[in-house]
Structures are given as C-alpha cells and as structure tokens.
Amino acid sequence: MDFIVSLSAATLRVATSILLAAIGETYTERAGVLNLGIEGTMFFGAFVGFYVADISGSLWSGLLAAIISGILAGLLMALFSVSFGVNQHVSGLGLTLLLSGLSLYAFRLRYGGLATPPSIEPFPQLRPFGDLPILGPLSEQYLLTYLTFLVIVPLAWWILYYTDFGLKLRAVGENPEAVDAAGVNVYAIRYAALAIGGGLMAAGGAFLSLAQLGAFTHGIVSGRGWVAIALVIFGNWDPFKVTLGSLIFGGTFALQLRLQAMGLQLPIPYETFLALPYLVTILALVLAGRNASYPAALLKPYRRE
Amino acid sequence: MDNIIEMQAITKRFGPVIANREVNFSLRQGEVHALLGENGAGKTTLMRILYGLYHPDEGMIFVRQQAVRIHSPKDAIALGIGMVTQHFALVPTLSVAENVVLGFTGSFRLRYAEIEEQVAAAALRFGIDIDPSAIVGNLSVGQRQRVEILKALYRNAKVLILDEPTAVLTPQEVDALFETLRRLQKEGLSVVFITHKLDEVMAITDRVTVLRDGQVIETVETAHTSPSALARMMVGRETFGVSRRSSMEAGAPALQMVGLHALDDQNMPALKNINLTVRHGEILGIAGVGGNGQRELAETLSGVRPPTAGRILVGEHDVTGGSPADFTAAGVGRIPSDRHKGVVGELSVAENLTLERLMEFTKGMTLDRAAMLAYAEDLIAQFQIKARPTDPIRTLSGGNMQKVLLARVLARNPKVVIAPQPTRGLDIGATDYVREQLLAQRKRGAGVLLISEDLDEILALSDRIAVIYEGEIVGLLPAQEATAEQLGLMMAGAVKEEVNDV
C-alpha cells in the first residue's frame, strides 16, 4: 500500500513538468502551429529560472523570468513560422538548437569554473493533509503541481471550449481562411497561442530546475519536450486527455526509478529501465495515434492565396 | 436608384499578370447584379478586392457615396459587405452556431445556449432553414451555403457577394437559393452574383456586368439582353459548346461492374452494390452531387482502391483486385480528377508524358532522352498543347496541363476511359477541347465512363446517364429521355430505382 501511495505521489510530481509543456503545445497545435521549439524552450526555461533564482535569491522571480523568456521564445517562433511562413519543422528545430546552445553557453559563462554543480534551495513541498493516511503522503506536492493540475489544465479546457478566444483559436487551427473571412486576424491568434504555449513550456522546464532538482544540468530536460508532443497527439489535443497521457508517462517514470532502486539482480542493464517510460509513450501513441484527428491546418503557414 | 457600391478604375496586378484593368463597377441598392465571365476573367479578383482580401493597385471604392479603404474583411464587414466564397470559409469541426458567431460574439465568455438561440432567431428572421447545433462537417453542400449566407447576414450585411454559388448545388437547391435571394432582395439586400452560367443570369439578376480578360466589356439590364448576346460578350465569339451525337450502335461490354462494393477513407461504405456496364462506343455519364461516392468509384475502377465485394471486368478480363498497373495493362485509362496530383510539377512535359511507360524509353540502364523528346513533340502536336517538351509542367496553365494528362492516357488508345470531373476548373475553351476528346474516344470505339458533378456536361456528352446517390446507383436512363429536373430529383435522393445493368 505504501508503495502504491508513494508511487502515485511521485507520478504527479514527475508528470507536472511534462504536463505544463504538453498543455502549452496543445495551445499552439490547436492554433495550427507545431512548435518543435518545445524541447529548447523547456531547457531555456530551466536555465533562466535557475539563473535568476540564483542571482536574485527569489524562486518566484526565477519562475517569472522563465515564463517571460518562454513567451519571448514563442514569439520568436511566431515571427518565423507565422509572419515569415517558414516551414514549421525547420523553424521549430532551429529554435530548439538555438535555445539549447544559448542556455549551455550562458551556463558555462556563469558557472563554468565551478568544480561541483551549482544548486539552489528548491521550492518546498506542501502537505495540506498532514499525517492522514494515504491522503497525507499523496498530497505532499509542490505548489506548482497543484496549480498545474487544478488550475492550468481546467483553465486551458475552459479557454479552448468556452471562450471567444478559444473558438477563434480552434478555428484558426482548422480553417484559417474561415477565420480571416470572418474578419479575425489569423496572425494575432497564432501569435497569442505561441506566446501562451511558450510560457507554459518554459514553466515546465523551470519546474525541473526550481522544484524537482534545485539545480541545472545538461540533461535536465532529456527529451521531455519530445514526449510532450507525443502526449498531445495521444490526448487528441484535449487538455484532460493530455493530462491522462502525462500521468501514464509520469507513472512509468516513477515506477522505473523504484525498480532501479530495488537493486534487483536482473540480467539487463539499468538503462533498460530508463528507456521504459519512453517505450510506453511510443506504445500509447501507436495505439491512440491511429485515430488522431489532427487540426486540419497544422503545419500550414497561412497566406491569402 | 442609389448606388450602394461604386468601384472606379480598379486595377490589380499579380506580378506581370493584370487581373483587373481599370474596372468600373456599380451596385444599386436592392438589386441582384451578375458578374459574368470565363474563368480567369477577373470576377473573383474584383470581389475579393471589395471584401478586403486583395488590395487594388489603382482605383477608388465608394460605399454609400463615401470613399473608403478596405484593408481586410474586418473593414468590409464593418461597412456591411459580406462574401460567400466558392470554397466555403467554414470550420467543419465546429457547429453551425459557432461558425456563425466566429469573430462576432461580443463577449469573451461563450454561452452556448444564448448563442444558439440568437443564431436560431436570425435564421428564422432571414428565412434560412438550418439547425444551429448541427456540426458543419455533417451538412450537405447546400446547407453549408445557407450557413455562409446566414453568417454574412448575422453580421448585418447589406451587400452580399456570392461567388459561383450554384456550382455545387442540385437543381432543387438552386431553386431554394434563388427563392431565398428574392426574399432578401425585397428586404433591401443588394447581391453581387458571380457566375459563368447564362441561364442563372437570366433567371435571377437585374443587371449584368460582363468581364473578359480583366476588363469590363459592358454593363447591361438583364431584361434588355439575351443569352446569346451575353455569350458573345463573354467569350468574344458567337457560339460555343460541343455538338454531340450521330447516335452510334453501342458495342460489346468494355467495362463491367458486378455487385461492386467499396469503402471510403474512413472505412464507411462508399459504394453499394454497383451493377453497370460501359459498352464500346458509348459514353456512360455518372451524375451526382459531389461526395456521393464518385471519387471512390473512379479509384476502384483504376485499381487504386480495392473493392470489398463484387467484380470488375474489362472486356472478358477479370481485373478485380488488380493493381493500377494491371488495370492499365488491361486497357483502362484514367484521367486524374485533380490535375495537380496527376502530374509531377517539377518534371518536364516530356517526362510527365512518359512517366507511366518509362520502360519503353530506356536504353540499357539509362533513359533515352532523345526518344522521350521526340515522343513528346508528337503528342504536343497531336493534342495541341501550348508548351515545349522541356518546360516544367507546373508552369503550364490548367487547360494545357489537362491536355498533357489527356495525351498521356489517350495516346495508349485505352479500351476504357475513366474521366472523373475532367473539366472542373477549366475555362470554356479548354472545356470544349476536353469534351471533344472524349467524344473522339467514343467514336474510336472506347467505352467512356464520365463522372461529373456538372449536369450540363453529363447531358451534353452522355449516351446513357446513371445517377449516384450515397454510393448507390439510383437511376439509369438513356440521355434522350433525361431531363435536368428528373436527374436533379434522383441526385437529391428523392427518387430511387433498382438498377441492374449487367
């Protein structure tokens, strides 16, 4: 029982960063833009968050700075993919390369000489249900995890389906001609979607450095951005189903950590466990992705004939 | 009568091409005004300028005597101008109500009950019959058009631009559209009606402006003109159209479909128990509203889409389940329905012409370029293609591209010609050419299966006409006995007959 409770608690923790990024990607893809800059934006957010928190001594300043940097990254993506009409694969991968390189470079400049990797005191975990059985340990989570699951996800759902902005955003991702003909600025909607998406992606990255690890390392994101893209497809561009996908990934991730920690004497290398969450994600994607209904205008830059 | 819209000396260039040259156009309050012309005459360009989708290089626009600059559809909508484009600007995954209010909700939060109520009220007020909660993707083309019109009226349009509104409608739907327009006209709506169909101009409009090569030929009162006068202005010559006939004895079966079933891309039944025979020396026309299985039929009959049941015979030869190459070898020639998918744009005319039979143009391991060019020269002369063999095919006009495709297929003298939508998007000259080629194939003795959504084309060319509706053949009759009304009823699913023509 303890095992299941601690596994569930860890699942929520691990799922948080990937869920933030995946919700961000949901916004951009629903508006018709595949943002492959997600991996780089998370990395950038992780670095900026850590750096600002380190020099200012305020974790919240770090988080805010990370979100702002993510919004800027999203706007840069918009400049290329929306305004200039550059192929979304090219501009997205370019953004990831740029932001990863930039973060590592800045990290070297600031912390290059240190023998031990720098660290900060991370966000504390809350425990609102104290020592109650099950609920107590399960509720021991970061504030950001609570915000993500209880605010960010329902809000995304509400915005997408119950607001004027969400209606325009979904319409832009399906048929931008219709939105243009209705007198709505297609570019403005896509810029907004990419800005929101970038902010969430960077917040996902900053969660890793400011909460989960309290440090910044080269492998801090390690493909979570790419997994998030897979989860968006798995979740059929619906915030709640995307949440389900992130829990599957988080659960497998937490499970493999525990399997490793058990120190089982198995004739397989420990890397096999590390690969497990990614394999499960691929499997889930293969099973669910066949019926995926992609936003019809995804990948298509909008131009008036 | 006051002019609600005046466009003065409008010129629009796309690179070296002049789409509109000093065009003057005026629209009176409460009139239905036709913009008549061939494809590429500049009708749509002119109206896209009025709707803010293009910006004129020169010229002035006045709305209610005020000079205006229309930068975007948003400006046009604010001025009371609405446009229903040829390709509907609707989002298929959204409901009717969501599409209607898109960009015009007035509040950040959407209250679906209220929105649907408002849209239903507007539909009632304008006499447009539509369910606000229906998902647009499930609606017929005629219903979608009504959504588009409602969308414009909901935005308080006083001027409604319709771009070839009848191209995709059944005759009954056309009648309903005209009725709606007459009612709205009485309430003071002004309508611009873009078309190249003369009978519609005569039926519904008050005045006509004829465009040719981007220039206004004349604006006339409909009551003071005639179809032949308009045709002359439109094409610059007196007569057009192909003359069919010299009835021929239909020969042996060239292509037989026996109990044919097939699925569409969503694995839903698209063809249901088709039993038809195309004979040598006849054109069998398949009439029907788009999306009733025409695409699947053409694909099944060329080996692209495997049937789930039934047999396909070419002559005596059973090709059921064969690959496209097997169908080609058996003597089936298909003219692709989408020109741009049927050619490889970056390759030259000669390469496209020989693409399907490269084996015949190889020497050892390499292509015999000289033979390919010579072969292309031959076909270019024979099919009057205006291009050189080395031109990349994407640089050709739609008509010439279609000629290349015709040449590629017909040069093999196929026993069966499958022609899905062979003239879609072509202007009158190129359309005539394609139709003449199909008649020539019939004369040569080939069996021609003509699949077309254009009823006039079906009536003009076919010896016998079958009607497809929701994947079934619901009627089959000799062309002499067919009338547009009767076919229209069948196309709309109102009349069904069991057809077994094997």
Side-chain angles (χ1 to χ4, degrees), chain A residues 158-168 170-172 174-175 177-184 302 304-305, chain B residues 48 51-54 71-74 77 88-91 93-94 98 101-103 105 107-110 112 155:
Chain A
W158 184 76
I159 286 179
L160 283 177
Y161 293 104
Y162 289 93
T163 68
D164 176 60
F165 172 68
L167 177 62
K168 288 176 191 162
R170 285 182 291 137
V172 161
E174 290 289 340
N175 186 358
E177 285 83 7
V179 183
D180 191 15
V184 177
Y302 179 63
R304 273 183 199 160
E305 315 220 338
Chain B
R48 288 179 76 99
Y51 194 56
L53 286 165
Y54 293 151
H71 298 285
S72 70
K74 192 176 179 139
I77 290 165
F88 295 148
L90 296 172
V91 184
T93 51
L94 300 182
E98 285 176 309
V101 302
L102 181 63
T105 52
S107 69
F108 183 70
R109 190 174 156 199
L110 297 182
Y112 278 98
R155 290 163 164 68

Side-chain angles (χ1 to χ4, degrees), chain B residues 274-296:
Chain B
I274 306 248
N275 292 290
L276 282 176
T277 301
V278 185
R279 296 176 176 280
H280 283 290
E282 81 161 352
I283 297 182
L284 176 64
I286 304 278
V289 179
N292 273 295
Q294 289 96 326
R295 189 169 67 86
E296 289 81 2

Side-chain angles (χ1 to χ4, degrees), chain B residues 10 59 83 110 167 183 188 199 247 357 461 489:
Chain B
I10 300 287
M83 180 162 179
L110 297 182
R183 193 172 48 240
D199 52 334
S247 83
R357 46 203 305 189
L461 296 181
L489 286 171

